[in-house]
Amino acid sequence: MRTEPLPSAADALLAEADALLARGRGRNAERLLTPFVGREPENAGAWQRMARARLDLGDLPGALLAAQAAWHLDPYGVESLFWLSQARSRLGDHAEAIAAAAAACREDPGNPRLHNRLAEAQLAAGLPTDAAEGLRCMADMARYDADLHVTYGMALFAIGRPLSAREALGRALAIDFGHAGARAALRRFDQAMSTAIDAASLALAADEFAESLRVHPGRPTPRRPGPGRDALGYVARVALAWFLAAIAGVGILEVTGLLVAPTSLYLALFCAAGAAGCVSALARPASRRGVSG
């Protein structure tokens, strides 16, 4: 009987780190990996995961150090190049970020994830035309990759093609109807288009949108909220609407004489509505709360 080899302790630890990162538990992943890379500093996979964990935590210098360690150990590995490019982009080192992503694409030219990273690096550098052109063919080939179509849509909007941009996001939602990035991009499109009334204002809106995607050196953009935060905000908004409707309904019933509501009921409903409103406000992205990056 043929049996599969048992995974090593290192493989099991890296798999556990992957599971933690997938659940958004970057701090736990970093704590798990820190002693491991101390014992086995030659393990490129561990450094790659450390770079991802630190990026999730907003520790950009630490993420770059981890990504550089992975790259020195595996200079032609696409995963090492991917995280090196990601860290460079977040720090505003755009030439290096684009070079690393382009090198990864040369190593694995059919991988849509790598082309998506290159386009993201170009958008962060203020090169939306390059990003849109680079993804044009890949978008036709990778009809299964929702993330790539979101990035393609953002690049198209940034060069002044809002209808094509919405089509790209429609394809992303057809692949994954609940894709948080696609829905967030649609909201940003609606906000940007609210001031577009003619060709000149459309061009201005596209330029402002492209500028909002840029990362300036020394002023990295804040992390985007994850799907969990988006879901929490949605639930809070729905709850707020129901509580307000309940307050209005109790008031109408009391005015018509069908119900005598105690003061404690109003107090409870107002407190619940206030709590839901606070959670909804806190779950919104920082840029929409008026906080600059």
Side-chain angles (χ1 to χ4, degrees):
M1 177 184 292
R2 182 180 177 182
T3 59
E4 295 293 331
L6 294 174
S8 66
D11 291 337
L13 184 141
L14 295 181
E16 184 178 354
D18 286 335
L20 289 170
L21 290 167
R23 296 199 300 270
R25 297 171 64 181
R27 179 66 67 191
N28 298 80
E30 185 190 36
R31 289 172 179 166
L32 177 69
L33 291 165
T34 297
F36 180 75
V37 296
R39 294 192 306 269
E40 298 190 25
E42 73 287 351
N43 191 308
W47 285 114
Q48 292 161 4
R49 290 161 176 82
M50 180 68 84
R52 177 181 173 184
R54 288 175 174 171
L55 283 170
D56 286 352
L57 294 171
D59 177 10
L60 304 187
L64 179 59
L65 288 174
Q68 287 175 324
W71 177 71
H72 284 301
L73 292 165
D74 186 22
Y76 300 105
V78 297
E79 199 68 16
S80 296
L81 290 165
F82 178 93
W83 292 111
L84 180 62
S85 174
Q86 188 82 272
R88 289 290 192 187
S89 277
R90 292 275 296 274
L91 284 164
D93 302 331
H94 299 305
E96 294 86 349
I98 291 171
C105 290
R106 288 193 296 271
E107 293 296 323
D108 188 1
N111 190 328
R113 176 171 174 257
L114 304 179
H115 288 275
N116 186 53
R117 168 86 287 271
L118 176 57
E120 288 178 336
Q122 291 165 333
L123 288 174
L127 302 171
T129 301
D130 292 350
E133 183 60 27
L135 288 182
R136 182 169 57 87
C137 293
M138 185 56 64
D140 290 333
M141 296 170 57
R143 295 184 176 275
Y144 53 87
D145 193 305
D147 290 338
L148 184 140
H149 287 283
V150 171
T151 304
Y152 187 39
M154 295 177 78
L156 289 170
F157 195 96
I159 62 173
R161 297 175 57 188
L163 295 180
S164 298
R166 287 183 179 276
E167 289 177 5
L169 293 188
R171 288 192 292 272
L173 291 172
I175 298 166
D176 179 2
F177 184 73
H179 195 282
R183 296 193 174 279
L186 282 172
R187 290 194 295 270
R188 293 183 67 182
F189 289 179
D190 290 338
Q191 184 177 7
M193 289 296 292
S194 64
T195 60
I197 57 175
D198 53 23
S201 57
L202 173 59
L204 179 60
D207 288 343
E208 290 177 348
F209 182 80
E211 180 61 26
S212 73
L213 301 177
R214 292 191 62 187
V215 177
H216 295 275
R219 196 179 66 190
T221 55
R223 284 191 302 145
R224 296 175 185 174
R229 184 171 175 177
D230 284 341
L232 178 63
Y234 174 77
V235 171
R237 289 192 295 273
V238 172
L240 175 61
W242 278 106
F243 285 131
L244 292 175
I247 292 170
V250 171
I252 291 172
L253 290 174
E254 191 165 19
V255 168
T256 56
L258 298 176
L259 175 70
V260 178
T263 304
S264 59
L265 176 60
Y266 280 109
L267 181 60
L269 289 173
F270 275 115
C271 288
C278 289
V279 172
S280 175
L282 291 172
R284 292 168 60 194
S287 60
R288 295 181 65 191
R289 295 199 305 265
V291 179
S292 62

